[in-house]
């Protein structure tokens, strides 16, 4: 959406409004999953802060997002996906940079690998107590599998977007 909107000659404020509409559409399109509602709400608050020319402060962003969701859907607090999503994001904000710095500076890992592993471990570390409470087990392969899939997602995204736009051509092309 960003690439599309940046190529249209409209004001920055109108671009942000269109971004907000597309985020709302995406939330509805995905079926109102708790993690998508959390991500979409946070994205909307970031866009609103840019619209009003304000800086974002992550603890406030996370708190306001929880408050807004609780006001609109109070029973969401009982959903496991909602709790895990907020814990993972909190972990990213708190521990991703220290973990990444450790891997990059102390272990001499390349920046892309240190950042990816730092984010993976931060999210895993944050959800660990709640996951143990729910599932009574720890996944030792999750950080490694997340690292592998994170490395595959970014390069494959343009191809997936291209395939999404080519999908309507399927019946015409005989697919």
């Amino acid at each position: 959406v960003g690439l599309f909107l940046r190529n249209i000659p409209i004001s920055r404020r109108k671009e942000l409004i269109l971004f907000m509409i597309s985020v709302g559409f995406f939330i509805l399109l995905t079926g109102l999953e708790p993690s998508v509602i959390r991500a979409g709400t946070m994205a909307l608050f970031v866009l609103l802060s840019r619209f009003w020319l304000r800086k974002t402060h992550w603890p406030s962003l996370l708190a306001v997002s929880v408050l807004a969701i609780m006001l609109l859907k109070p029973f969401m607090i009982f959903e496991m996906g909602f709790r895990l999503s907020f814990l993972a994001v909190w972990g990213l904000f708190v521990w991703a940079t220290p973990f990444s710095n450790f891997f990059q500076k102390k272990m001499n890992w390349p920046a892309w690998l240190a950042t990816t592993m730092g984010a993976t471990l931060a999210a895993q570390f944050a959800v660990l107590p709640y996951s143990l409470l729910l599932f009574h087990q720890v996944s030792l392969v999750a950080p490694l599998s997340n690292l592998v899939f994170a490395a595959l997602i970014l390069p494959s995204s343009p191809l997936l977007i291209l395939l999404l736009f080519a999908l309507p051509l399927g019946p015409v092309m005989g697919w």
Side-chain angles (χ1 to χ4, degrees):
V1 174
L3 292 174
F4 175 73
L5 290 176
R6 294 199 196 277
N7 291 323
I8 297 175
I10 57 174
S11 70
R12 180 77 172 141
R13 293 176 74 79
K14 287 179 184 174
E15 182 180 319
L16 289 170
I17 290 169
L18 289 174
F19 264 128
M20 288 184 237
I21 292 168
S22 65
V23 167
F25 179 71
F26 179 77
I27 293 170
L28 293 174
L29 185 68
T30 56
L32 299 172
E33 291 293 322
S35 60
V36 177
I37 291 173
R38 190 258 331 133
T41 305
M42 290 181 73
L44 286 172
F45 282 122
V46 168
L47 291 168
L48 280 171
S49 69
R50 289 187 180 172
F51 186 82
W52 290 321
L53 304 174
R54 303 280 189 249
K55 289 184 179 180
T56 54
H57 179 246
W58 79 260
S60 301
L61 178 64
L62 200 59
V64 168
S65 297
V66 170
L67 182 62
I69 293 169
M70 291 296 96
L71 287 172
L72 296 174
K73 293 185 85 169
F75 291 106
M76 181 88 58
I77 193 70
F78 299 112
E79 295 204 28
M80 174 181 51
F82 176 78
R83 293 176 184 179
L84 287 169
S85 179
F86 270 98
L87 284 171
V89 170
W90 178 79
L92 289 171
F93 284 136
V94 173
W95 292 310
T97 301
F99 282 159
S100 298
N101 288 341
F102 171 78
F103 289 126
Q104 191 170 3
K105 293 175 182 168
K106 302 283 186 196
M107 306 288 285
N108 293 321
W109 287 11
W112 69 271
L113 184 61
T115 302
T116 305
M117 185 56 93
T120 296
L121 288 179
Q124 294 285 336
F125 195 61
V127 300
L128 181 65
Y130 189 57
S131 294
L132 281 172
L133 179 70
L134 291 174
F135 308 117
H136 309 290
Q137 61 185 3
V138 176
S139 173
L140 298 177
V141 297
L144 183 60
S145 64
N146 286 344
L147 185 64
V148 169
F149 284 106
L152 294 174
I153 287 173
L154 191 59
S156 66
S157 295
L159 176 62
L160 293 173
I161 292 171
L162 181 65
L163 289 174
L164 180 66
F165 285 113
L167 194 60
L169 297 175
V172 175
M173 302 298 284
W175 297 339

